[in-house]
Amino acid sequence: MSLDLVIAGGTLATAADVFRADVGVRDGRIVAIGEDLGAARERIDATGRYVLPGGIDSHVHLAQPSGEGIVMADGFESGTRSALFGGNTCILPFCLQQKGHSLREALQGYHALAEGNCYTDVSFHLIVSDPTQAVLGQELPALVEDGYTSFKVFMTYEDLRLNDAEILATMDTARRTGALVMVHCENEDAIRYLIGRHEAAGEIAPRAHASTRPIAVEREATHRALSLAEITEVPVVIVHVSNGAAMEEIARARSRGIKVVGETCPQYLMLTASDLDGMDWEGAKFVCSPPPRNAAEQEACWRGIETGVFDLFSSDHCPFRYDDPAGKLNPKGRTNFRHIPNGIPGVETRLPILFSEGVMKGRIDLQRFVALTSTNHARTYGLADKGSIAIGKDADIAIWDPRETRTIRHADLHDGADYSPYEGLAVTGWPTTVIVGGRVMVREGALTGAKGTGRYVARARSHLSAPRPAATVGA
Ligand code: URP
Ligand code: ZN
Ligand code: ZN
């Protein structure tokens, strides 16, 4: 039977190998890897290009309720379009449980927003903000069975934070059900204390956001989260790690036998707290939590990427428009940093930044790039059909031109924000053609696929949570 698509002449990379081969696609799946694959309805010449698994961004916020009068800049249409142009074929946004409401209710609304609007595949993490007995005893276990196999808990934000008892109870549900817990590690009480001191001293500009969330706030919470995971015996993901001290906690926990996955993001490699100093409140563009640190911590994060402390490189895309009363410069936000919504856009620039700063500058090889941006996300979050170029996997592929040089300009991006934190950054290498489930969605930089092509994907349990089957040898 002939093929639907052949990608010919390119250099393939997986998390393990780099090699020259053609890729054959039929019915949305990779069915052949080799030479002279024969006839196909369509042929893409990838000579001089890298053929990589499509990016999986496992930390994205879209259409998330963000407080009164605040509107996130991306829903599923613009968010997945932006992700697609940045070389991603699947993203994992968070479905937020509002206090007093059920998770099912939240999911119903979230699915309705996604349905028919996605350019990439999507799957959802849950955010548990109200861990009642009914939620932990009945709802969550049923949802894990239904393929929502990971949930995030917060140690900060007044309206989201869980106390230690609630985190323990939530982790215990994860242990019983084989789910994975993601933890936002910052000590809310310590932040409140520091905000009080800063406000008393009249320090209310965006820069105070970074000073009220120092490294100790993150390090302490990271240590506590890992201790709670140790006590409950569950694997955890420590998300958006910003500094070396928190990394040390992860490394120490691993040496005690705790199953922990570390995640970092472009902002911790490319931005510093001084970016929050901008004139005319422009520092608000860089307000995210944890905040960016300094050059030494950037280097520490690079070491974590190189040495394996980090398994995941995600965007934490959490977009708000800057010059907008529903965004960063909302009426309260323009007078006090406490009211600036936390989060920055970055789903489209995540991969080009790591490719350019990591691969092209010789800090990591192509295999590690693929692991950090695709394969490890699939394995960690139970996306069994994704994350590699291998027979039987979904044909989710990004074809990169390693020679293409670009200067990042928001005007060229596809998200709903009105700025990029990386404006003016020169990068080398860009994903020029992007294929989702065998469909060419972006061809040489132009949109060719339709909204609604992206599907919702239910997930298996993480390889960290799932019981390990005994090894068998085929007959
Ligand atoms: O500032 C951030 N990171 N906002 C997004 C929400 C989160 O904590 O991931
Ligand atoms: Zn977070
Ligand atoms: Zn986030």
Side-chain angles (χ1 to χ4, degrees):
M1 220 199 311
S2 77
L3 298 165
D4 298 331
L5 172 68
V6 163
I7 303 164
T11 300
L12 272 58
T14 67
D17 297 301
V18 178
F19 54 101
R20 295 287 292 274
D22 298 351
V23 182
V25 173
R26 188 188 305 128
D27 297 334
R29 303 225 163 206
I30 297 167
V31 294
I33 298 171
E35 291 173 0
D36 304 325
L37 297 182
R41 270 200 291 118
E42 184 179 358
R43 194 174 185 84
I44 292 177
D45 180 7
T47 307
R49 307 279 172 103
Y50 287 135
V51 179
L52 308 185
I56 301 173
D57 193 339
S58 61
H59 191 147
V60 172
H61 303 266
L62 300 178
Q64 189 171 300
S66 304
E68 209 182 312
I70 305 297
V71 181
M72 204 162 259
D74 282 315
F76 283 89
E77 180 175 348
S78 60
T80 58
R81 187 180 58 212
S82 183
L84 178 75
F85 274 97
N88 299 285
T89 50
C90 183
I91 64 170
L92 280 75
F94 291 86
C95 176
L96 170 75
Q97 176 201 23
Q98 306 253 37
K99 277 210 161 62
H101 295 261
S102 76
L103 281 158
R104 284 269 181 213
E105 210 178 325
L107 276 167
Q108 229 169 25
Y110 215 49
H111 273 287
L113 293 175
E115 184 65 36
N117 283 319
C118 295
Y119 288 93
T120 65
D121 285 349
V122 294
S123 189
F124 303 156
H125 305 293
L126 307 171
I127 291 176
V128 179
S129 71
D130 201 0
T132 61
Q133 275 189 6
V135 165
L136 297 185
Q138 284 120 49
E139 228 191 358
L140 262 182
L143 289 171
V144 174
E145 283 302 315
D146 287 350
Y148 305 94
T149 53
S150 50
F151 28 89
K152 182 175 178 186
V153 297
F154 286 80
M155 301 170 90
T156 183
Y157 300 135
E158 202 61 51
D159 49 341
L160 287 179
R161 70 183 288 197
L162 304 190
N163 62 34
D164 289 354
E166 291 170 324
I167 294 173
L168 284 163
T170 308
M171 285 181 169
D172 191 63
T173 296
R175 182 182 60 77
R176 285 185 289 108
T177 58
L180 192 57
V181 181
M182 311 160 76
V183 193
H184 179 135
C185 299
E186 287 184 294
N187 180 323
E188 177 68 15
D189 292 329
I191 294 165
R192 290 281 132 200
Y193 162 76
L194 288 171
I195 287 176
R197 265 177 51 184
H198 278 69
E199 286 188 325
E203 290 167 22
I204 50 165
R207 182 64 165 80
H209 174 79
S211 327
T212 54
R213 291 171 177 267
I215 286 174
V217 158
E218 185 182 343
R219 185 195 61 223
E220 183 279 330
T222 305
H223 177 79
R224 190 156 35 100
L226 289 165
S227 301
L228 300 182
E230 182 175 358
I231 289 160
T232 48
E233 300 178 84
V234 283
V236 278
V237 181
I238 304 297
V239 294
H240 46 46
V241 175
S242 73
N243 68 84
M247 285 165 45
E248 281 167 18
E249 295 297 338
I250 293 173
R252 283 222 304 263
R254 272 194 192 140
S255 72
R256 295 198 299 275
I258 300 168
K259 288 186 195 166
V260 49
V261 171
E263 176 201 73
T264 195
C265 315
Q267 46 271 41
Y268 306 119
L269 303 179
M270 305 307 296
L271 305 177
T272 68
S274 339
D275 288 308
L276 278 75
D277 276 332
M279 300 284 288
D280 295 331
W281 227 253
E282 259 196 74
K285 289 179 176 173
F286 305 92
V287 165
C288 60
S289 296
R293 306 295 182 184
N294 58 32
E297 301 305 334
Q298 288 179 337
E299 271 315 305
C301 288
W302 273 116
R303 265 202 318 281
I305 282 182
E306 289 156 20
T307 60
V309 174
F310 296 123
D311 294 308
L312 302 175
F313 187 73
S314 311
S315 68
D316 193 5
H317 179 77
C318 185
F320 298 96
R321 290 173 60 80
Y322 169 66
D323 193 5
D324 194 314
K328 298 278 189 184
L329 297 189
N330 66 82
K332 285 183 181 167
R334 60 194 314 149
T335 60
N336 186 315
F337 74 93
R338 266 197 307 125
H339 302 292
I340 299 169
N342 283 205
I344 61 177
V347 74
E348 194 167 343
T349 46
R350 170 185 76 124
L351 296 173
I353 286 174
L354 188 65
F355 188 91
S356 184
E357 293 289 322
V359 179
M360 297 308 284
K361 292 194 175 170
R363 285 168 160 136
I364 55 172
D365 60 22
L366 205 51
Q367 294 96 316
R368 182 105 185 99
F369 175 82
V370 168
L372 283 160
T373 57
S374 183
T375 312
N376 292 350
H377 299 253
R379 273 171 64 70
T380 301
Y381 294 113
L383 288 160
D385 295 332
K386 298 189 180 293
S388 193
I389 296 185
I391 304 286
K393 294 274 184 193
D394 288 349
D396 292 350
I397 292 167
I399 303 177
W400 285 68
D401 182 349
R403 277 175 300 275
E404 177 155 343
T405 55
R406 285 202 193 185
T407 299
I408 293 176
R409 304 268 178 232
H410 186 262
D412 300 326
L413 302 178
H414 301 81
D415 59 58
D418 56 352
Y419 76 99
S420 165
Y422 310 106
E423 187 78 18
L425 178 72
V427 292
T428 303
W430 201 272
T432 49
T433 294
V434 186
I435 297 161
V436 179
R439 288 174 198 244
V440 183
M441 298 295 288
V442 172
R443 188 191 300 275
E444 294 300 323
L447 186 65
T448 49
K451 185 177 82 169
T453 302
R455 299 163 308 138
Y456 167 77
V457 185
R459 284 179 287 122
R461 287 173 176 79
S462 171
H463 75 286
L464 293 165
S465 313
R468 287 201 190 125
T472 52
V473 180

